Amino acid sequence: MPEQHKIGKTDLKVTPIGLGANAVGGHNLFPNLSDETGKAVVRAALDNGINFLDTAYIYGPERSEQLIGEVVREKGNRHEVVIASKASHKFVDGKTVMDNSPAFLKESVDNSLKRLQTDYIDLFYIHFPDEHTPKDEAVGALQQLKDAGKIRAIGVSNFSIDQLREANRDGSVDVLQGEYNLFKRGAEKEILPYTTANGISFVPYFPLASGLLGGAYSKDSTFADNRAKNPMFQGETFVRNLEKVEQVREIANAKQAEVAHVVLAWYLTRDSIDVLIPGAKKPEQVLNNLKTLQVQLTAEEIAAIDRIFQA
């Protein structure tokens, strides 16, 4: 079974590779998903030692939480599973708005508890900031829910450094989730030093840069989805990015590992990154993600990867 790490200053212990569950029931995010396959993905994670499941109200909406709730109830091991969920999306007159008001967050937690079929959520995030609610007031509402035993730890997601500082005015924020990968390293400037100094765990999303860091593309690859409009996947920039990935492949080949596993292993060497949440649409992808834990990078390799992507 994989070794477990503590998340930041919390008492939550998780496997360093968790499961990002946006493709479990995320029918609004991915085409042609099967609920049964989604449940099989969650079972594969739990059966192979992964104990950290990351979901959100908006994945579905609602369906991801429901499917996770069904599988965990079926397994009968709720006390062994660390569940993270998120809320802030609200539908008003057919439009999606963000709401961080204390009343909405408290209602959201109660609704998530029902969908997950549990009486507590291990980690609950404010998914996106809104434009109106003071960030420390929103976190204060989650602190009340923590005091009441409905949640065990407090997270914020997609917060800027200034929003994070405001949210953490009372030192209540346990986890920040934000975009970070070897191509997008902006978090290293202010956010990661702040999270490290304040005992806040940083959970990166898009760690493989929409697949670019997975090592499966060549200069002849074409894209028909959002990647077609992403500058990272266009022209000379795309070619230069692939050249960097090929340098990582040399390290991966020497270890008989995949590029993605080396990249994910590199993140786990960063201060305040305790856990990663790669997604999976099939059970076999869950098992593949776990191979990351077999990769041990030397200090020289860590520095080499750093240099490759500093250029």
Side-chain angles (χ1 to χ4, degrees), residues 25 47 65 68 78 89 106 112 132 154 157 164 167 199 201 212-213 253:
D47 288 345
E65 289 181 321
I68 287 172
R78 173 67 186 95
H89 297 74
K106 290 176 179 179
S112 286
H132 311 292
I154 294 171
S157 180
L164 175 59
S201 191
L212 187 51
L213 287 163
N253 287 345

Side-chain angles (χ1 to χ4, degrees), residues 6-311:
K6 200 156 71 78
I7 295 181
K9 59 183 184 288
T10 74
D11 60 359
L12 303 178
K13 289 188 175 181
V14 299
T15 46
I17 296 295
L19 173 66
N22 60 351
V24 175
H27 298 285
N28 56 338
L29 305 176
F30 300 97
N32 307 315
L33 288 181
S34 155
D35 281 357
E36 283 308 312
T37 302
K39 289 166 74 170
V41 164
V42 178
R43 289 189 197 102
L46 298 178
D47 288 345
N48 288 278
I50 290 175
N51 76 329
F52 186 53
L53 308 176
D54 180 275
T55 184
Y57 156 74
I58 199 61
Y59 304 162
E62 302 187 356
R63 194 64 183 133
S64 181
E65 289 181 321
Q66 291 168 346
L67 295 177
I68 287 172
E70 289 175 23
V71 174
V72 173
R73 186 180 181 89
E74 160 199 307
K75 289 283 183 187
N77 63 342
R78 173 67 186 95
H79 63 288
E80 298 174 2
V81 183
V82 178
I83 298 174
S85 196
K86 319 175 197 74
S88 69
H89 297 74
K90 184 177 182 180
F91 296 98
V92 180
D93 298 328
K95 295 181 180 180
T96 306
V97 298
M98 299 303 151
D99 190 346
N100 297 173
S101 67
F104 180 76
L105 291 174
K106 290 176 179 179
E107 178 186 0
S108 296
V109 167
D110 284 341
N111 290 336
S112 286
L113 290 169
K114 292 173 187 171
R115 288 189 291 269
L116 289 163
Q117 301 186 53
T118 184
D119 54 6
Y120 67 95
I121 297 169
D122 299 278
L123 169 59
F124 197 86
Y125 293 93
I126 300 170
H127 202 161
F128 282 88
D130 69 12
E131 297 178 0
H132 311 292
T133 311
K135 304 301 165 255
D136 52 344
E137 184 179 308
V139 168
L142 294 186
Q143 182 62 51
Q144 291 176 12
L145 293 167
K146 184 177 177 180
D147 293 341
K150 291 187 176 183
I151 66 176
R152 294 176 63 196
I154 294 171
V156 295
S157 180
N158 300 293
F159 276 42
S160 68
I161 184 61
D162 289 337
Q163 291 167 333
L164 175 59
R165 286 194 181 106
E166 182 185 347
N168 196 43
R169 193 166 285 162
D170 296 326
S172 298
V173 175
D174 297 306
V175 185
L176 169 68
Q177 190 171 133
E179 184 172 7
Y180 175 68
N181 58 61
L182 281 163
F183 288 119
K184 290 197 171 183
R185 301 179 68 174
E188 293 176 1
K189 186 177 180 183
E190 292 185 281
I191 286 179
L192 286 177
Y194 181 88
T195 56
T196 301
N198 288 274
I200 296 171
S201 191
F202 181 84
V203 178
Y205 65 76
F206 294 155
L208 296 178
S210 299
L212 187 51
L213 287 163
Y217 301 144
S218 72
K219 62 180 185 298
D220 298 320
S221 298
T222 57
F223 306 97
D225 53 17
N226 290 336
R227 286 170 291 191
K229 302 174 184 177
N230 188 325
M232 288 200 307
F233 290 83
Q234 294 176 354
E236 283 302 310
T237 301
F238 182 49
V239 173
R240 285 195 302 272
N241 288 342
L242 289 176
E243 289 170 353
K244 294 178 181 181
V245 173
E246 288 309 305
Q247 292 180 68
V248 178
R249 193 185 303 279
E250 293 178 17
I251 296 172
N253 287 345
K255 294 182 171 296
Q256 297 182 306
E258 295 177 21
V259 172
H261 300 147
V262 170
V263 169
L264 294 175
W266 186 86
Y267 297 136
L268 289 171
T269 69
R270 304 294 89 188
D271 286 342
S272 81
I273 296 182
D274 303 306
V275 62
L276 303 174
I277 49 169
K281 292 180 181 176
K282 301 174 182 176
E284 51 266 34
Q285 291 172 328
V286 175
L287 303 184
N288 190 48
N289 290 337
L290 274 171
K291 292 180 181 177
T292 299
L293 300 179
Q294 299 170 14
V295 175
Q296 298 293 322
L297 296 175
T298 66
E300 291 77 15
E301 289 164 342
I302 293 167
I305 293 168
D306 189 26
R307 284 195 300 273
I308 292 166
F309 290 90
Q310 290 285 9

